Amino acid sequence: MVAVNYVGEELWSFFNAPWEKRVDLAKQLMDIAEQLTNNDFDFALYLLDVSFDNFAVGPRDGKVIVVDAENVVVADKRLIKQNKPENYDVWYESKFEECDKEACLSFSKDMLCSRVTVDHNYYAICQNLLSRYAVWRGSSGGLLHDPPPHIAKDGQLEVLLDECANPKKRYGRFQAAKELREYLTQLSSTAR
């Protein structure tokens, strides 16, 4: 027997929603990436299957919900700090791999479970849901596709999304994810 619960429409149904709504959803996704990575419990939950089908949006409150957490790695950061595996305190950057298929993601479970600071969730959200690299059901461009002209002209959003998905600088994804969260917060507050 399988019990299911309707929690809202899948994220995909918002792919062509108004810009303000997509910005709000993108901000929530980046906040989820942050909360799953850094929290008071010192456990990181790394999402291994990040696609538009694995998130839903609550019909009443508009909150993004993870609806398929079947493929998750749980890393106990306290245990990693205690056991001190080789390079445990060196920040781990996920390797970008260009892919024209849906929901591509490369990862090393060994690395996720042996480092304290890991960028995997930011990488997964940026690459598979937000950036121009996101491909789903024949569409590409991610949730933040086709920004309004003044935002596209400014170029900051594209730079942050590119650096978050495919960093050019060492530890660039960590900084880009932080700045992207701040930028989306700013866009959300000016859209209201």
Side-chain angles (χ1 to χ4, degrees), residues 129-149:
L129 300 177
L130 303 182
S131 75
R132 63 187 171 103
Y133 301 104
V135 175
W136 194 251
R137 295 188 183 165
S139 295
S140 61
L143 196 59
L144 295 174
H145 65 88
D146 301 319

Side-chain angles (χ1 to χ4, degrees), residues 15-163:
F15 189 80
N16 289 313
W19 173 251
E20 295 76 19
K21 181 64 178 175
R22 292 184 287 132
V23 166
D24 175 57
L25 297 174
K27 182 195 172 314
Q28 289 185 59
L29 287 163
M30 290 301 290
D31 289 345
I32 288 170
E34 176 65 24
Q35 291 162 359
L36 293 177
T37 304
N38 300 305
N39 53 62
D40 294 339
F41 303 108
D42 243 1
F43 277 93
L45 296 131
Y46 300 115
L47 301 172
L48 305 182
D49 183 10
V50 174
S51 70
F52 283 92
D53 284 350
N54 292 340
F55 294 87
V57 179
R60 288 189 201 98
D61 59 8
K63 298 290 182 205
V64 175
I65 305 158
V66 179
V67 292
D68 184 353
E70 185 177 296
N71 297 299
V72 173
V73 166
V74 179
D76 183 341
K77 292 183 178 186
R78 276 182 268 178
L79 194 59
I80 294 169
K81 290 174 195 169
Q82 180 183 323
N83 292 343
K84 298 182 171 140
E86 186 178 347
N87 295 321
Y88 78 99
D89 55 349
V90 176
W91 290 13
Y92 179 71
E93 295 178 285
S94 300
K95 185 180 181 321
F96 170 82
E97 288 186 26
E98 192 145 2
C99 172
D100 59 357
K101 296 186 180 96
E102 295 181 350
C104 291
L105 208 52
S106 65
F107 56 88
S108 163
K109 287 183 185 176
D110 290 340
M111 288 301 193
L112 297 178
C113 294
S114 64
R115 300 287 181 96
V116 175
T117 307
V118 177
D119 68 358
H120 176 80
N121 286 327
Y122 312 120
Y123 159 63
I125 297 290
C126 285
Q127 175 165 319
N128 285 355
L129 300 177
L130 303 182
S131 75
R132 63 187 171 103
Y133 301 104
V135 175
W136 194 251
R137 295 188 183 165
S139 295
S140 61
L143 196 59
L144 295 174
H145 65 88
D146 301 319
H150 68 284
I151 292 171
K153 183 179 177 191
D154 170 74
Q156 185 177 2
L157 179 63
E158 185 179 352
V159 167
L160 290 173
L161 285 171
D162 277 356
E163 190 67 14

Side-chain angles (χ1 to χ4, degrees), residues 2-25:
V2 174
V4 294
N5 182 20
Y6 176 78
V7 294
E9 289 189 56
E10 63 183 29
L11 184 62
W12 174 250
S13 64
F14 292 87
F15 189 80
N16 289 313
W19 173 251
E20 295 76 19
K21 181 64 178 175
R22 292 184 287 132
V23 166
D24 175 57
L25 297 174

